[in-house]
Amino acid sequence: LPGARGSVPGAMTLDKLTSYQDASTYNNFYEFGTDKADPARTAGSLRPRPWTVTVEGEVGKPGVFDLDSLLKLSPMEERIYRLRCVEGWSMVIPWVGYSLAELIKRVEPTSKAKFVEFTSLADKAQMPGLRSGVLDWPYVEGLRIDEAMHPLTLLSFGMYGEVLPNQNGAPLRLVLPWKYGFKSAKSIVKIRFVEKQPVSSWTRAAAQEYGFYSNVNPQVDHPRWSQASERRIGEGGLFAKKRPTLMFNGYEAQVGQLYAGMDLKKNF
Amino acid sequence: MQKNRSPWLHPAAKPLLFALCALPLAWLVWAAATDRLGANPAEALIRSLGDWSLRALCLTLAITPLRTLANLPALARFRRMLGLFAFFYVSLHLLAYGWLDMGLDLGDIAHDIAKRPFILMGFTAWVLLLPLAATSFNRAIKALGARRWQWLHKLVYPISLLGLAHFIWMRAGKNNFAEPAIYGAVLAVLLGWRLLRRYSSRGAARLA
């Protein structure tokens, strides 16, 4: 899946890329099991084609998009983003896709569309992890509309120049580089525009640990571990020093104004 | 005598058990040296050492029920070694966390232990293991007297519960309780058997 060099500010980090091997075998995708090696092992049962995405709610042009029409909707770009997991590790991944804003503009949100809710596939036949009660399925995530419209918010179809491997959220997923990884919903089947703030799956599971915003923030610790530093996967082996975590994962210049005046300790 | 024929009394039994108990560590060292611990080797190492700590604790606690139920008095001679291996793996688990996760910064470690209840629990379990490991040799048993020594070593019960709670809490935020449930069930059986025996023997004593 080829893509032109990303032109949006912040789209091309100069950090060294994580190896494709690490990025495709160390995954949190609980629909395929809770161990990080599980998705690579079990996601072969996911059928990324045919695939449709339902767009509904507060929009002028709701509809059902099939994958081919989404692939053609806007030119593909390559964007190299840092990915920071809430668990304290990070990667650098070249994604392929286009700004989610391209899709949003075409469906014409109404003035009532204050938030966007994303729903992932939940099919027991394809996803063995659904048998466990770790989360309430389906996986649901949400963004404020201005976050969803931000040019860095990527609707991704590929990585490392190829279509997404199943375990990384095929056939399409979000990538929000300034938020903890779990905000970037995988294998999306529904996008709903709503007036009220959606409740995401992780907030429902543990509200005191996973807030709605979940912006990367080294000053706000997770209740069970510090978020001040992170381990860059594949960097320097066992005894490598952790690196300091950056505010908004280093994308403060691009996204800081979205949260101007907000108490980020309260809105974690 | 039948006792003498028990394979548990064979002179090779103890060295064999020692080698078995050292296997997980040998495997981890080999896997770390040959880059077989996956994308996040530090995390894999810390977690695996934690797993083996709990397993060694469970094995140690299984000796007495097994010995009694299966009528294998010879098993008692393995209990100390298993207990010391439990202490050894807990210590390595703590060392791996302090080194690989915290960069051996004692200030950071102290802060982390004080701030996070689940780490405090695990750390407390290790601290409570110290007097047990320190009094594990024969002279200490003699010096303390068997009764006091036995009383002290009952600490292993709260220690195992602290270890279990540490594991449950670590998984709590991700609602992922499948593995802690297994250890919980094993410990419930091992400790429950002791409670049951205690109360039934009391009952028996009263009847007599």
Side-chain angles (χ1 to χ4, degrees), chain A residues 26 30 87 221 224 231, chain B residues 40 43 100 115 170 174:
Chain A
Y26 189 75
Y30 279 18
E87 295 168 342
D221 283 348
R224 286 175 296 120
R231 180 172 284 122
Chain B
N40 194 344
E43 181 195 67
L100 307 179
K115 194 169 170 194
M170 181 266 209
K174 295 237 162 177

Side-chain angles (χ1 to χ4, degrees), chain A residues 4-264:
Chain A
R5 249 181 91 84
S7 53
V8 174
M12 300 300 272
T13 178
L14 298 174
D15 294 30
K16 185 171 170 284
L17 293 187
T18 301
S19 74
Y20 179 86
Q21 165 76 13
D22 283 349
S24 61
T25 58
Y26 189 75
N27 307 103
N28 277 321
F29 196 172
Y30 279 18
E31 284 87 336
F32 294 102
T34 53
D35 192 279
K36 275 189 267 297
D38 284 343
R41 229 166 15 82
T42 66
S45 49
L46 178 74
R47 294 187 306 272
R49 267 174 193 276
W51 194 277
T52 57
V53 178
T54 305
V55 180
E56 57 180 37
E58 299 294 343
V59 282
K61 290 183 173 172
V64 178
F65 293 77
D66 69 43
L67 184 59
D68 287 316
S69 68
L70 287 171
L71 283 165
K72 283 183 288 204
L73 189 124
S74 184
M76 290 289 165
E77 285 178 29
E78 179 164 79
R79 307 234 185 127
I80 302 177
Y81 285 166
R82 287 180 292 274
L83 167 84
R84 171 62 156 81
C85 177
V86 70
E87 295 168 342
W89 52 268
S90 61
M91 294 186 180
V92 181
I93 297 177
W95 302 103
V96 185
Y98 50 77
S99 294
L100 176 67
E102 298 295 336
L103 171 63
I104 295 180
K105 278 181 221 151
R106 281 170 174 77
V107 299
E108 298 173 5
T110 70
S111 59
K112 281 185 176 169
K114 303 274 197 291
F115 295 91
V116 192
E117 181 186 87
F118 303 88
T119 306
S120 298
L121 180 72
D123 179 2
K124 274 192 179 135
Q126 300 180 58
M127 300 171 140
L130 296 188
R131 269 178 256 133
S132 91
V134 179
L135 288 171
D136 281 343
W137 313 110
Y139 193 86
V140 171
E141 258 308 339
L143 297 171
R144 229 167 48 191
I145 187 84
D146 57 340
E147 297 177 316
M149 287 293 290
H150 193 281
L152 279 179
T153 300
L154 188 71
L155 190 61
S156 173
F157 302 84
M159 64 183 214
Y160 298 83
E162 293 172 28
V163 295
L164 283 176
N166 289 354
Q167 62 268 32
N168 291 79
L172 78 163
R173 63 169 294 168
L174 286 175
V175 186
L176 290 115
W178 73 95
K179 291 178 179 284
Y180 293 120
F182 68 88
K183 288 298 290 182
S184 298
K186 301 186 179 88
S187 304
I188 294 167
V189 292
K190 192 161 79 180
I191 302 176
R192 186 175 170 80
F193 292 76
V194 293
E195 197 170 4
K196 285 207 188 108
Q197 182 174 303
V199 180
S200 67
S201 290
W202 278 114
T203 304
R204 179 163 304 181
Q208 70 288 359
E209 303 202 0
Y210 309 105
F212 175 77
Y213 288 97
S214 288
N215 292 315
V216 176
N217 188 340
Q219 279 133 43
V220 178
D221 283 348
H222 185 275
R224 286 175 296 120
W225 57 84
S226 162
Q227 294 291 26
S229 63
E230 65 199 49
R231 180 172 284 122
R232 181 63 57 82
I233 297 298
E235 187 180 72
L238 202 51
F239 297 100
K241 256 192 96 66
K242 292 212 242 174
R243 49 168 72 216
T245 290
L246 305 173
M247 189 64 206
F248 295 113
N249 202 20
Y251 297 93
E252 187 165 17
Q254 289 83 33
V255 303
Q257 82 283 355
L258 291 174
Y259 312 99
M262 276 175 72
D263 179 349
L264 296 177

Side-chain angles (χ1 to χ4, degrees), chain B residues 116-136:
Chain B
R116 285 165 230 293
F118 99 98
I119 295 183
L120 180 63
M121 268 189 186
F123 184 73
T124 307
W126 177 75
V127 169
L128 292 178
L129 273 169
L130 288 173
L132 306 200
T135 57
S136 61

